[in-house]
Amino acid sequence: FIVKMASPNGGEDFESSLLSFEKLDRASPDLWPEQLPGVVEFAASCKNSITNSPPKWMAELENEDIEMLKELGSLTTANLMEKVKGLQNLAYQLGLEESREMTRGKFLNILERPKK
C-alpha cells in the first residue's frame, strides 16, 4: 500500500524518497516477540476447555431455568423493561404484605421471646 503525497513542487523525487520497499516477516519471533510469555499457550488451553465443557454456573441450572433464560433472551428491549417493572412491582407488593404480617404478629405477641 503506497501513500502518495502532493508536494508543492510536484516533484517525483520527493515521492520516491518516501517509498519503502522493506519487507517485514511477521513470522519471525525476533521481530515480533510475545509481549507476555506464555499468554498464547494459556489462551489456547482456555479456548479448548471452553468448547469442551459448559461453564460451572450453567451446570447448576435446571431445564426450567434454561427455558426462562431463552425466553428472556428472546424479548425485545421494551418487553424486557416491562418484565423488569412487573418484577419490581411484585417485590414492592411482597414487601407491603410482609410489613402487614409483621405488624399483625407484633400486635398478637407472636414474635415475643418466651420469658424464662
Side-chain angles (χ1 to χ4, degrees):
F1 140 68
I2 300 173
V3 176
K4 289 194 175 189
M5 298 174 59
S7 65
N9 300 343
E12 288 293 322
D13 293 331
F14 177 71
E15 286 182 13
S16 62
S17 70
L18 294 176
L19 295 177
S20 172
F21 297 104
E22 181 180 0
K23 295 187 180 201
L24 300 176
D25 181 16
R26 290 191 175 267
S28 170
D30 295 331
L31 289 176
W32 308 98
E34 250 187 302
Q35 290 183 350
L36 298 172
V39 170
V40 173
E41 291 84 12
F42 178 75
S45 70
C46 286
K47 187 176 181 183
N48 289 339
S49 67
I50 289 173
T51 56
N52 293 339
S53 63
K56 291 179 185 177
W57 63 268
M58 188 92 172
E60 298 173 1
L61 295 179
E62 296 176 5
N63 287 338
E64 184 179 315
D65 300 327
I66 293 171
E67 289 300 318
M68 179 168 284
L69 283 174
K70 288 179 182 177
E71 177 188 335
L72 293 173
S74 66
L75 294 176
T76 64
T77 305
N79 290 345
L80 189 59
M81 290 302 295
E82 188 176 320
K83 186 84 164 173
V84 168
K85 286 179 185 176
L87 289 173
Q88 288 175 334
N89 289 337
L90 179 62
Y92 179 75
Q93 293 299 323
L94 285 173
L96 289 177
E97 187 178 333
E98 182 181 14
S99 175
R100 280 192 298 266
E101 292 298 321
M102 293 297 288
T103 303
R104 183 174 173 217
K106 183 178 178 182
F107 287 137
L108 294 174
N109 294 327
I110 294 174
L111 302 176
E112 284 188 13
R113 295 183 182 178
K115 295 179 181 178
K116 293 184 180 181

